[in-house]
Amino acid sequence: MSASVSAEKDAEGRRGGSALIPGGRRDRIRLALLTCASAAVYATYSLVSLARFRASAYDLVIFDQGIRSYSRFEAPVSIIKGVHNEFGVDFTLLGDHWSPLLSLLAPLYWIHDGPGTLLVAQAVLLAAAIPFLWLYTFRALADGRLLGVRNARLVAYAVSFGYAISWPVVETVAFDFHEAAFVPLLVAILLESHQAGRRSHVILAAAGILLVKEDMGLLVAGLGFCFLVQRGSRRLGAAFVVTGILAAYIATQVLIPAFGGRSNYYWAYSALGGDAQEAIVNAVLHPIETIKLLWTPPMKMQTLLLTLAPVLLLPLFSPITIALVPLVLERMLSNSFPNWWVSEYHYTAFIVMIVFIGGVDGACRISRRVSARAQAKGDGSADDMAAKFINRWAVCVIAVGVAIVPFSSLGKLFTPGFYSISERQKAAAEAVSRIPDGVLVEASNNLAPALSSRTQTLLWDRTPRRAPWILADAGKKTFPFLSLDEQISRVRFLLTQGYEKQFESNGYLVLFRR
């Protein structure tokens, strides 16, 4: 052990074991500032997007309607989802995805009733994972005697900052609101609690994860496989594997159908078979064809490499990364939903915390190997070499994170155009203001969030719903229409069906049928 590192560790050791459990006022203040600043940036991005009509009915209004129903002590009905997807006007969120944990957000609607509430809640949830990631990183480095306490703190801040600006978090913020916002926090709590030996907290966090979405049983099972290779955690690992697989089955095959949904509604593996049993049999009988699906199209592998890039691929050296396998296979073996395998949207948020904690663990394992090899060669600076490796890795985490920012949605936050108001956006605001409160309205995808809190909002789609009010867009292609010409034709059709123009500007039209 080199003199410098040895002296620092000995000095910290003389202060008592509590030195390795940070509780200092400075650390609490710094973590609070980083967490609050991150939440503020996320909320700013989301709220500006909402105000500039960049949010969408699919999926922000879906969640807004459902959680508003929760806040009124009703079933989480989303009329916009039920009508557009032909489930009926009484369709609930629980028939779409098994996400009962969303009910925890209902009391926030007693403070402010509107989709902006969900965007702020998501910002806070994503940022709230930072202190747990920091503590995990600090403990892995300081308790493991890889770095002195002071240096371990700095590396922990670097990793936490890397998470805060990472593209999986940023793209989650950029695409409305989703239940994925709960997962980084719950996974961070679970893995930090497991590291600290607080098994009851581990179990509670796992229970919370199972209530986020029906496929989170795969994540819990993945964590179980990870624990199976760790001494002292094998019973817990086995319990997680069994519980996770069972929970995923019950959620998809029993609970979702019980609430009006269909167990195969999101089946995306027609290349393997028509159901899970057939897909498993085909995967076993035709392994080469199944493996080919993992990089067909090549965008799948690009997304996977980009997922590991913020921590320089070091999760590949950690058994923690085993936890990623079930969810990665779920996404990359699909052949029906392209959104699942691209880098946009929120899907990587489900695994981003495992990636970062796996990166920390991988860095620790590599540094130990570096130190062991140096000691075997009789190099007296073995500890210094290991410390340099971790320090340089931490610097690279920040550098890579910052380098990716201009290419992620976060980069838009630093451009004037993100905040400016165009003539078309002014027209959108005027069109929205022409819709009376409390009416039934079919609204264009990007205008629906502005109406959701004060009207019964349906999606203006390819099927005439005959709502008395319609807020249409004939100026730019919008979901779910196939082309702008189709939207223009729909407006012309509506005008022949008794609808009258109440407003028209920059492509936006307000139609009313008496």
Side-chain angles (χ1 to χ4, degrees), residues 20-358:
L20 297 183
I21 304 175
R25 184 169 177 269
R26 289 184 179 179
D27 280 326
R28 290 196 295 268
I29 292 175
R30 289 167 182 163
L31 277 174
L33 289 174
L34 178 58
T35 303
C36 291
S38 299
V41 170
Y42 303 155
T44 298
Y45 188 104
S46 295
L47 294 177
V48 171
S49 296
L50 177 64
R52 298 297 181 265
F53 302 100
R54 300 186 190 110
S56 56
Y58 266 57
D59 295 325
L60 181 57
V61 175
I62 294 174
F63 288 105
D64 177 57
Q65 291 179 341
I67 297 174
R68 178 176 295 106
S69 297
Y70 270 134
S71 72
R72 297 170 179 172
F73 301 100
E74 301 169 352
V77 172
S78 175
I79 187 174
I80 197 168
K81 175 72 178 181
V83 171
H84 174 66
N85 293 110
E86 308 297 340
F87 284 107
V89 296
D90 295 323
F91 186 67
T92 75
L93 295 184
L94 296 176
D96 185 31
H97 293 297
W98 180 246
S99 305
L101 200 67
L102 289 172
S103 61
L104 295 180
L105 301 179
L108 300 178
Y109 271 56
W110 304 339
I111 301 171
H112 180 269
D113 186 335
T117 298
L118 296 183
L119 299 178
V120 173
Q122 176 173 257
V124 172
L125 286 169
L126 290 171
I130 290 173
F132 298 96
L133 174 59
W134 185 95
L135 184 55
Y136 180 98
T137 305
F138 173 85
R139 189 182 290 126
L141 297 172
D143 280 10
R145 298 289 179 178
L146 294 171
L147 294 177
V149 171
R150 187 179 299 105
N151 203 1
R153 284 191 174 103
L154 294 176
V155 172
Y157 283 119
V159 172
S160 300
F161 180 75
Y163 162 82
I165 64 172
S166 66
W167 70 264
V169 174
V170 170
E171 298 307 324
T172 301
V173 171
F175 183 39
D176 298 337
F177 169 88
H178 291 88
E179 66 282 293
F182 284 95
V183 179
L185 173 60
L186 289 171
V187 171
I189 292 173
L190 188 152
L191 291 176
E192 185 276 324
S193 297
H194 182 262
Q195 181 195 53
R198 299 190 301 271
R199 183 156 295 191
S200 60
H201 293 189
V202 172
I203 294 172
L204 288 174
I209 291 172
L210 293 176
L211 299 178
V212 171
K213 199 176 179 184
E214 65 275 7
D215 60 349
M216 288 298 97
L218 299 180
L219 177 57
V220 170
L223 289 165
F225 286 121
C226 167
F227 295 154
L228 281 174
V229 301
Q230 299 179 21
R231 292 181 180 178
S233 299
R234 287 169 183 164
R235 288 186 180 179
L236 180 66
F240 271 32
V241 171
V242 173
T243 301
I245 294 174
L246 185 62
Y249 177 83
I250 292 174
T252 55
Q253 304 301 312
V254 179
L255 296 173
I256 287 178
F259 284 91
R262 297 198 297 267
S263 60
N264 63 347
Y265 187 72
Y266 290 103
W267 181 254
Y269 311 96
S270 58
L272 291 173
D275 55 35
Q277 182 177 356
E278 186 177 343
I280 292 173
V281 172
N282 283 334
V284 173
L285 296 179
H286 307 285
I288 296 177
E289 287 76 5
T290 301
I291 292 173
K292 287 181 180 178
L293 288 174
L294 294 173
W295 60 74
T296 306
M299 176 63 71
K300 292 180 178 179
M301 286 296 101
Q302 294 175 24
T303 298
L304 189 56
L305 288 174
L306 188 59
T307 298
L308 302 177
V311 284
L312 282 69
L313 307 185
L314 291 201
L316 297 176
F317 297 89
S318 169
I320 292 174
T321 310
I322 296 172
L324 298 178
V325 174
L327 286 184
V328 168
L329 291 178
E330 179 193 33
R331 288 174 65 189
M332 301 308 171
L333 288 177
S334 68
N335 62 287
S336 300
F337 297 134
N339 289 353
W340 286 12
W341 61 69
V342 298
S343 57
E344 292 87 353
Y345 309 114
H346 59 287
Y347 298 104
T348 308
F350 291 110
I351 59 175
V352 64
M353 187 53 65
I354 295 176
V355 169
F356 271 83
I357 288 182

